[in-house]
Amino acid sequence: MGFAAALWGQAANAEKRGGAERKIKVLPIPALGYSPETKTYFGAIGLFNIDWYQDSITRKSNAKVEFNYTLNQQLVLEQEWNYFSKAERWFTDGLIHTSEYPDFYYGVGANTSAQSELLFASIRSVVRLGLYRNMGRQVFLGGGIRYVNFEGVTPETLGLFQEVKDGNNVGIRAAVFQDSRNNLLNPTKGHYYLVELEQNFSRRNYFIFKLDLRKYHQFQSGFVFSNRIYNSFVTNRPNFYDYSMIGGDRLVRGYLLGRYRNNHVSTVQTELRTPMRWKMGLAFIGGISSVYDDWNTFYAVAHPNYGLGLRVLMDQKDNVNFRVDYVLGDGSNSGLYISFGESF
């Protein structure tokens, strides 16, 4: 947690100076909610908006620290960052996550039944680190490492899914991306195109290939049209937690993360955000996803999602929004999401 501690110290000094030239802004907010896995949870989120160099070349960086505790005595602690060096010569991103947390598992497949729901407990640790060099024209080339460890995996019903067990893996990845977004947290124009290949070492070695294409356009009326095409392809038989999957706030809202999982996922997500009025705006959300094991089953089952979101402007100078989204999936699937910044 050294990165977060350093930010807290720098932010405290910045607050003492005051004024509009602060290099680090902190947006704290309490977290309170309910989910089927955890029941009632509460905690806090701290967003650091970093303008360390204060020039016209370097975009603002950001970091987030989140702590959640549930009435079932479960714990989630997460630290995440996206940081540009001076003149954007280098870019680093990362995630440090630890949790003792329950989760649902429904098996592998595009149309798994809700009746096969398995609740399991686990202690999980995730570390993801990346470093990229700016090659010109906002094209970054580099790679990173990812370590995942699930231990103490305790299914509620033993023997239902044999693959739900302790596991870990180390992933070494290479990636190239072009990032012309005007704001990492709340993009209104530009694009983000990523190609990534990761070799994972575990009981069975496997590759993960990702293609992530995002495009943003702001109309003269102030409406923002955001689109994303995301593909994840996994070879062999990965650990149960590392299949391609839909769900969660970052991938496909409207489903529990991992509600449907298989070797491959392809999804199209779109969002239309209205102009801000009295520091508030709306977002109309929609998309369609396919979960499949080979191209012959690509069209077999389609999973739609659609919903509505509320945006509250928290920092007008840096254009940082507080976001609340309610999104429906197929059947009884749905999700409520509360966060800083946009989903993509």
Side-chain angles (χ1 to χ4, degrees):
M1 302 304 292
F3 188 79
L7 282 177
W8 278 115
Q10 294 292 345
N13 292 333
E15 291 288 348
K16 290 177 183 177
R17 290 194 297 271
E21 300 302 320
R22 288 179 298 172
K23 295 182 178 181
I24 302 177
K25 293 182 179 179
V26 183
L27 297 174
I29 192 165
L32 177 65
Y34 177 90
S35 70
E37 315 100 299
T38 65
K39 310 308 179 186
T40 303
Y41 66 86
F42 57 90
I45 304 171
L47 176 71
F48 300 85
N49 208 27
I50 308 165
D51 190 9
W52 194 251
Y53 305 103
Q54 298 185 337
D55 57 34
S56 60
I57 301 174
T58 311
R59 281 171 286 180
K60 293 178 175 64
S61 304
N62 63 76
K64 184 185 75 170
V65 177
E66 183 171 355
F67 168 81
N68 283 313
Y69 183 79
T70 80
L71 296 184
N72 287 347
Q73 297 183 336
Q74 299 139 356
L75 176 68
V76 179
L77 183 60
E78 185 172 281
Q79 175 185 330
E80 188 174 12
W81 67 87
N82 298 278
Y83 185 80
F84 289 107
S85 70
K86 187 174 178 61
E88 299 191 0
R89 296 186 184 93
W90 293 89
F91 174 76
T92 178
D93 61 0
L95 169 73
I96 300 174
H97 171 101
T98 182
S99 59
E100 185 173 353
Y101 200 75
D103 212 343
F104 286 122
Y105 184 78
Y106 297 87
V108 176
N111 199 23
T112 52
S113 170
Q115 303 302 317
S116 62
E117 176 181 278
L118 171 69
L119 181 66
F120 70 94
S122 67
I123 301 172
R124 63 192 73 178
S125 302
V126 181
V127 177
R128 189 185 71 234
L129 305 172
L131 181 64
Y132 310 89
R133 172 69 174 175
N134 192 338
M135 309 303 293
R137 298 182 179 273
Q138 297 177 309
V139 175
F140 292 82
L141 177 65
I145 187 169
R146 182 175 66 103
Y147 171 74
V148 182
N149 182 64
F150 273 61
E151 62 182 9
V153 176
T154 309
E156 188 179 49
T157 304
L158 297 176
L160 185 59
F161 295 107
Q162 297 297 324
E163 68 270 24
V164 180
K165 57 187 177 182
D166 289 12
N168 60 73
N169 64 280
V170 175
I172 307 295
R173 71 180 184 276
V176 58
F177 63 90
Q178 185 177 44
D179 187 354
S180 67
R181 294 173 294 175
N182 61 333
N183 185 317
L184 298 192
L185 284 172
N186 183 25
T188 58
K189 61 182 179 180
H191 61 259
Y192 175 85
Y193 303 148
L194 166 76
V195 178
E196 178 182 285
L197 179 64
E198 182 179 83
Q199 165 76 76
N200 282 272
F201 301 93
S202 187
R203 285 188 295 261
R204 290 181 297 269
N205 298 339
Y206 52 94
F207 285 96
I208 300 178
F209 176 77
K210 292 182 180 179
L211 179 65
D212 191 354
L213 309 175
R214 313 179 198 181
K215 179 67 176 176
Y216 309 89
H217 178 76
Q218 185 169 29
F219 298 95
Q220 290 185 347
S221 60
F223 283 84
V224 176
F225 190 38
S226 305
N227 293 278
R228 183 185 194 187
I229 298 174
Y230 175 84
N231 297 273
S232 173
F233 307 101
V234 181
T235 64
N236 206 347
R237 291 175 58 197
N239 296 324
F240 77 95
Y241 55 78
D242 233 7
Y243 278 93
S244 300
M245 60 185 72
I246 65 172
D249 188 29
R250 299 293 182 88
L251 292 177
V252 179
R253 286 163 289 178
Y255 299 87
L256 287 173
L257 180 61
R259 173 61 184 89
Y260 298 106
R261 69 184 76 199
N262 212 323
N263 284 81
H264 314 313
V265 159
S266 297
T267 183
V268 177
Q269 296 294 307
T270 188
E271 189 170 291
L272 181 65
R273 303 199 300 268
T274 68
M276 289 290 186
R277 294 290 184 268
W278 302 289
K279 295 188 176 182
M280 299 182 70
L282 297 175
F284 301 93
I285 300 160
I288 189 111
S289 306
S290 178
V291 181
Y292 52 103
D293 56 2
D294 59 50
W295 289 107
N296 294 326
T297 57
F298 177 79
Y299 296 103
V301 180
H303 297 288
N305 64 310
Y306 53 94
L308 184 67
L310 174 68
R311 303 293 181 270
V312 180
L313 185 62
M314 301 291 290
D315 187 330
Q316 187 167 5
K317 181 178 181 294
D318 294 334
N319 193 24
V320 177
N321 291 338
F322 178 66
R323 170 171 60 92
V324 180
D325 296 332
Y326 183 67
V327 185
L328 299 172
D330 54 18
S332 60
N333 292 293
S334 65
L336 176 67
Y337 309 92
I338 301 173
S339 185
F340 284 112
E342 294 301 329
S343 172
F344 64 89

